[in-house]
Amino acid sequence: MSCIWPHRTYGVVILFLLACFLHYFFWHIDVASTPIITTKSKQEVLPTYVFSSQYARQEIPHLTPVNPSTLIPSGSHPIDEAHRNGYLHTGHCLFIMDASGLLLFLKRSSDVVTCPSTWSILGEHSMAKEEARDTVVRGMEEELGLKQVGRLETSDSSSFFADFQTMNKKDTIHVAIQNITQYPLYYIRHYGPRLDNRIDSQLTYLWLARLPKPFDEIQITLDDEVADHKWISLEEFSDWIEDDARNYDKEEEKSKTLQIHERQKDDGPPSGDFCHHTIRSLYAKGLDNLKLLL
């Protein structure tokens, strides 16, 4: 048998190798040029709403409490479409507090598209056909690596209890969860021409989840979008958010005033440890309510 391949076979092998190279090359280019999007964000489809005649949307200030029973459903849309068009949707922010009174803050990865390398509390959008309490539980499961194994509803619609199992299945914790606002707050931010005039229009529920043990006695597994985390006291959080506002609010207000003068809706560029003043003001409202509650 000759060790030299027949001419025809040699040509077929060359074409096969060339096809493999081109496939790899163009696949590599596509991946390298595409922003990092997690599987979770690809699957997010949000129920959207319009305000009833009781509200005139353009007159509702940021952080105004809104009775959700007044909303009119308007279908479901992918999260990117909702933000591009400013569709009203709902979301939930959770203050996680351990038994010693420390609050959990998460630092976002530098790879995420929205607010990279900034600090936040746990947050989730409400998905289609998902009740508010289910969103809260899902957020704790996805962000903290816990698994709900039981739930106790209460006669008080603003609170409930949930039992979670840690990832190693060695511990089950009984968590008290309560809403810290009577109604969700209307959160509105215009991103302006810098981000294709996207608008985040959201009714935001603020919750407090109380863990039954100190944080170092509970196994928590943070998701891959979290670069760092820390537990701090209510007083430390108060000082932190006041310092951040003092350092950045004037800068953002100046930018916002310039944009208004140019007849553009833009709430200013990202700045500060909490991404921007719109989020910071929401957290500050939550802080005020926590001080009253605790």
Side-chain angles (χ1 to χ4, degrees):
M1 179 182 293
S2 171
C3 64
I4 301 176
W5 292 348
H7 217 38
R8 182 178 178 183
T9 304
Y10 180 79
V12 170
V13 171
I14 292 297
L15 288 175
F16 173 79
L17 293 174
L18 179 61
C20 290
F21 171 79
L22 291 175
H23 173 78
Y24 170 80
F25 177 79
F26 287 109
W27 178 87
H28 178 74
I29 292 297
D30 286 344
V31 170
S33 61
T34 302
I36 296 175
I37 301 175
T38 65
T39 303
K40 182 172 62 176
S41 65
K42 285 182 179 180
Q43 296 173 345
E44 286 190 353
V45 176
L46 311 183
T48 57
Y49 306 88
V50 294
F51 286 108
S52 66
S53 57
Q54 178 180 345
Y55 297 96
R57 177 175 168 178
Q58 63 272 20
E59 297 176 1
I60 301 179
H62 176 58
L63 300 186
T64 297
V66 175
N67 186 339
S69 67
T70 63
L71 300 181
I72 302 172
S74 61
S76 298
H77 301 273
I79 183 172
D80 183 66
E81 182 181 338
H83 286 159
R84 285 185 181 278
N85 295 281
Y87 296 148
L88 179 65
H89 54 280
T90 59
H92 303 260
C93 289
L94 286 77
F95 289 97
I96 308 295
M97 177 178 284
D98 78 347
S100 58
L102 298 181
L103 296 168
L104 173 63
F105 285 86
L106 309 174
K107 187 174 185 180
R108 296 169 64 81
S109 164
S110 60
D111 295 328
V112 298
V113 176
T114 304
C115 298
S117 302
T118 58
W119 291 88
S120 68
I121 58 176
L122 192 152
E124 289 290 341
H125 289 101
S126 295
M127 300 298 188
K129 299 180 180 179
E130 187 176 52
E131 297 294 331
R133 297 182 181 193
D134 295 330
T135 305
V136 172
V137 167
R138 177 172 57 82
M140 295 187 67
E141 290 182 327
E142 293 179 353
E143 304 294 333
L144 304 181
L146 302 173
K147 177 65 176 178
Q148 180 187 248
V149 293
R151 189 189 303 185
L152 175 64
E153 306 291 353
T154 67
S155 57
D156 181 2
S157 61
S158 66
S159 65
F160 66 103
F161 297 90
D163 292 329
F164 292 93
Q165 192 173 67
T166 56
M167 187 170 288
N168 61 11
K169 299 183 180 180
K170 294 182 178 180
D171 196 10
T172 299
I173 56 175
H174 188 63
V175 182
I177 304 171
Q178 65 185 113
N179 208 315
I180 62 173
T181 58
Q182 180 182 8
Y183 292 131
L185 306 177
Y186 180 53
Y187 175 98
I188 179 72
R189 180 169 179 83
H190 299 87
Y191 285 92
R194 290 171 292 102
L195 281 177
D196 300 323
N197 293 303
R198 289 171 179 261
I199 301 173
D200 195 352
S201 175
Q202 175 177 288
L203 285 193
T204 305
Y205 294 80
L206 293 175
W207 299 84
L208 171 64
R210 301 196 199 195
L211 306 181
K213 300 178 181 180
F215 72 87
D216 54 0
E217 296 181 15
I218 300 174
Q219 184 200 39
I220 289 178
T221 305
L222 303 176
D223 82 357
D224 56 6
E225 291 185 353
V226 176
D228 198 1
H229 72 285
K230 60 183 176 181
W231 295 84
I232 62 175
S233 68
L234 200 63
E235 293 73 19
E236 290 173 313
F237 174 39
S238 181
D239 291 341
W240 186 15
I241 206 164
E242 287 178 9
D243 288 344
D244 203 65
R246 186 162 44 248
N247 292 334
Y248 294 101
D249 273 353
K250 289 183 179 179
E251 176 185 329
E252 294 184 16
E253 192 61 36
K254 180 179 178 181
S255 172
K256 184 177 179 180
T257 301
L258 289 173
Q259 295 295 344
I260 291 174
H261 179 71
E262 297 170 4
R263 298 180 182 276
Q264 296 176 341
K265 290 186 176 181
D266 189 334
D267 290 329
S271 63
D273 288 342
F274 301 100
C275 192
H276 48 67
H277 72 91
T278 316
I279 291 178
R280 185 167 56 247
S281 62
L282 176 67
Y283 291 174
K285 178 63 176 177
L287 172 64
D288 291 341
N289 287 19
L290 286 176
K291 288 179 178 178
L292 293 174
L293 182 65
L294 302 173

